[in-house]
Amino acid sequence: MSVLLAFLPIILVVVLMVVLNWGSVRALAIGWVSTVVISLFFWKMNPLAALGYSVYGLLKALDIIIIIFGAIVILNTLIQSGAMASIKHGFSNITEDRRIQAVIIAWMFGAFIEGASGFGTPAALAAPLLVGLGFPPLAAAMVALIMNSTPVAFGAVGTPIYGAVNTLEPVLAARGISPVVFTEMLTRYSALTHAVVGSFVPLMAVLILTGTFGKGRPLRATLQAAPFAIFAGVCFCVPYYIAAVLLGPELPSIIGGIVGLCVLIVAAKRGFLVPKTPWDFPPPEVWDKNWRASVQPSLGENVSMPLPLAWAPYVAIALLLVVTRIPSLGIKGFLSNAGIDIAVGLGVSETYTLRWAYLPGIFPFIFVALITHLVHRQSPAQIRKAWSFSLRQISSGALALFAGFAMVQVMLHSHMNGSGLPSMITVMAKALVKGAGRFYVFVAPFIGILGAFISGSNTVSNILFSSLQFETASLLGLPEIPIITLQVVGGGIGNMICINNIVAVSATVGIAGAGGGMIIKKNVIPAAVYGIAAGLFVLVLIRAV
């Protein structure tokens, strides 16, 4: 009974969004209400605590909302200044093929941003940029989420890896295992697994893109782009794995992204492995209503702005993210210590800290937007239009995120109850573990996916389930590091379908209504394939060692 009730809020949200095509605001609000009711009457949580953790969830949502808003402001600033028209023209000069554009921006540019910042930033930047190039908003959101998976294990300069290791430190100490050695081995195993399977992520994304948004023969369109897509996967994953082995968990995604981006742009310009016949979407006037943004401005056709000046804000954002995220440079500590503490109260001890100086939405996104107003010599009317349009875009997404984060926080803290039950999330994970036996390698990545699906974070998924994965591996006689690797890898895969990320990316591109449900329907396929393939690879790895 406890297992069914623990899963019930998630099942409700998925059914409402995927089957009944409800919007994310209503679906997540129902999910939150059902979570609170179950936590009160079955888990026997204190009503004040359930309210307190709901409020804590509302506050935690502010981090993501600010990131989204900053990304939207950048996009609208570039639209108003004419920079986006120049960027669109510049990509058309590299290639007019939408498949290649998606791979370059969502896979490579997104990977670089993931490595530097993480926490939803890559899709929040890549998806609006794709929209700016003429992608249907739904297509941009879908491929941005699919391709923001392999780099995630080493996102925000290795945060998910450190989250897993920090959680396991008491267990490691009891067994006499050095956390430093464990971190090194986990980094190598995670990078190898992601690199081998992740090399095919661009190909899967292209298949979803052409199959969902194209006409005619989607498989043929995919096969035409397959050589370039696989080449793109290798161009990222090789330097990614080498950096993990030589440098540790902080830099693989940054190095893989920047090396691969340079190689892919040169390759695309020279036509290397680029299909001879460009592929494009149908004309906008025949797009399905769910493909479109509820509010979307014209990009304009004025391409008079020099391309380097048009790209300068994105280049500045990338550089500032790197400089402020590498601990050894000293800036990260200074910025991350600047915060505003808000005590939740209501019977809970949690304190929310708004790290305003370290949030990418404020610095560098909004900061760069303000500088761009001056550098691009925008008029007051253009500035007002960019900001007012951004506020309109963020409004519905913010409500959905508030409900989603409130639901998650109640689930996470439902172990504080009068029934003696573990948290709802732990109950769900243990249900997946039960009866797995020797096939547990195929279950482990899906526990990581579950954690990310619920929380929207690979780091949080690792913190939630690394101890469970470690102990289960020990009980089953399986080597612990490969199983924790599957947890880390699964947490990255979960970014493709996690509700909070879907809501966040949908908000940046202006999707309303059933868009979130459609993203889950399509993206669950590559997520499942990735998870099964990762389990199979680790099984081979275990038997080979």
Side-chain angles (χ1 to χ4, degrees):
M1 185 66 174
S2 62
V3 173
L4 177 61
L5 289 173
F7 274 104
L8 184 59
I10 301 299
I11 294 170
L12 270 176
V13 171
V14 173
V15 169
L16 291 174
M17 291 180 67
V18 176
V19 179
L20 300 182
N21 289 329
W22 280 30
S24 55
V25 176
R26 282 201 301 163
L28 286 168
I30 293 294
W32 169 69
V33 170
S34 64
T35 301
V36 170
V37 170
I38 292 168
S39 69
L40 292 178
F41 290 99
F42 192 83
W43 261 257
K44 301 189 185 304
M45 278 187 76
N46 183 300
L48 199 59
L51 175 62
Y53 285 115
S54 295
V55 172
Y56 184 57
L58 300 183
L59 294 171
K60 293 284 285 184
L62 288 176
D63 290 356
I64 305 300
I65 290 168
I66 291 171
I67 291 173
I68 298 167
F69 180 71
I72 294 172
V73 167
I74 283 290
L75 175 67
N76 289 326
T77 296
L78 297 183
I79 289 171
Q80 293 301 318
S81 72
M84 189 54 68
S86 294
I87 290 173
K88 178 182 177 181
H89 182 69
F91 267 101
S92 298
N93 287 340
I94 295 174
T95 176
E96 296 179 355
D97 196 308
R98 302 302 191 183
R99 298 164 296 186
I100 308 304
Q101 291 175 349
V103 170
I104 292 173
I105 294 173
W107 176 245
M108 284 301 188
F109 180 69
F112 173 77
I113 298 299
E114 174 64 45
S117 182
F119 299 104
T121 308
L125 279 179
L129 183 53
L130 290 173
V131 171
L133 295 172
F135 279 59
L138 182 64
M142 203 173 283
V143 297
L145 287 167
I146 291 172
M147 297 206 210
N148 186 34
S149 50
T150 304
V152 174
F154 305 106
V157 288
T159 302
I161 295 289
Y162 289 125
V165 175
N166 289 345
T167 301
L168 290 169
E169 276 191 357
V171 178
L172 298 178
R175 300 198 178 191
I177 302 171
S178 165
V180 174
V181 174
F182 191 87
T183 300
E184 180 182 328
M185 294 302 297
L186 181 60
T187 298
R188 293 186 178 190
Y189 270 77
S190 299
L192 180 61
T193 305
H194 260 318
V196 170
V197 183
S199 294
F200 298 94
V201 166
L203 181 61
M204 289 195 289
V206 168
L207 178 59
I208 295 293
L209 184 69
T210 58
T212 306
F213 302 96
K215 286 186 176 181
R217 301 176 179 177
L219 183 58
R220 181 179 179 182
T222 301
L223 292 175
Q224 290 172 346
F228 189 90
I230 296 172
F231 175 67
V234 173
C235 284
F236 170 74
C237 289
V238 170
Y240 167 89
Y241 175 68
I242 293 172
V245 172
L246 298 180
L247 302 173
E250 290 91 354
L251 298 175
S253 294
I254 293 175
I255 291 175
I258 197 166
V259 170
L261 186 61
C262 294
V263 172
L264 278 198
I265 289 175
V266 172
K269 277 187 174 182
R270 296 184 178 182
F272 179 69
L273 299 180
V274 174
K276 293 180 180 180
T277 305
W279 181 88
D280 203 350
F281 301 102
E285 55 267 22
V286 301
W287 287 357
D288 186 279
K289 65 178 181 178
N290 290 322
W291 296 12
R292 304 172 182 272
S294 55
V295 184
Q296 185 176 354
S298 170
L299 298 178
E301 297 300 330
N302 182 6
V303 293
S304 59
M305 181 177 291
L307 199 55
L309 183 61
W311 268 104
Y314 280 122
V315 174
I317 286 170
L319 292 175
L320 288 172
L321 285 172
V322 172
V323 168
T324 57
R325 265 57 185 176
I326 297 177
S328 59
L329 297 179
I331 302 174
K332 177 180 178 178
F334 174 75
L335 293 178
S336 61
N337 288 331
I340 301 171
D341 294 331
I342 302 174
V344 175
L346 299 173
V348 303
S349 59
E350 304 291 345
T351 297
Y352 166 72
T353 302
L354 177 63
R355 302 195 184 280
W356 58 271
Y358 193 65
L359 268 180
I362 295 176
F363 186 84
F365 290 179
I366 290 177
F367 172 77
V368 170
L370 295 173
I371 299 299
T372 302
H373 293 328
L374 299 175
V375 174
H376 286 187
R377 299 181 180 180
Q378 291 184 272
S379 67
Q382 288 176 316
I383 296 172
R384 282 196 303 272
K385 194 170 182 180
W387 285 77
S388 62
F389 194 81
S390 300
L391 287 169
R392 287 165 60 194
Q393 281 183 274
I394 193 65
S395 56
S396 62
L399 293 175
L401 284 169
F402 282 139
F405 271 79
M407 180 180 76
V408 168
Q409 289 302 319
V410 174
M411 283 184 163
L412 287 174
H413 294 92
S414 55
H415 64 284
M416 301 170 64
N417 58 60
S419 68
L421 287 169
S423 73
M424 296 170 75
I425 289 179
T426 301
V427 168
M428 285 187 274
K430 286 185 175 179
L432 293 175
V433 169
K434 188 176 181 181
R438 58 199 176 107
F439 298 106
Y440 185 73
V441 289
F442 296 104
V443 175
F446 288 93
I447 292 176
I449 291 172
L450 173 67
F453 175 79
I454 295 170
S455 69
S457 168
N458 194 349
T459 302
V460 173
S461 180
N462 291 348
I463 290 170
L464 285 173
F465 295 137
S466 288
S467 296
L468 173 67
Q469 300 264 32
F470 191 98
E471 294 301 327
T472 303
S474 299
L475 290 172
L476 295 173
L478 295 170
E480 289 88 354
I481 289 178
I483 299 302
I484 302 299
T485 293
L486 289 173
Q487 163 61 42
V488 172
V489 170
I493 299 169
N495 274 258
M496 295 186 188
I497 56 171
C498 73
I499 294 173
N500 289 339
N501 281 6
I502 288 172
V503 172
V505 175
S506 297
T508 66
V509 296
I511 298 173
M518 290 187 69
I519 292 173
I520 294 175
K521 283 181 188 177
K522 297 295 183 179
N523 286 14
V524 73
I525 298 170
V529 171
Y530 202 152
I532 294 169
L536 183 61
F537 176 75
V538 168
L539 179 62
V540 172
L541 208 60
I542 290 172
R543 291 183 175 178
V545 174

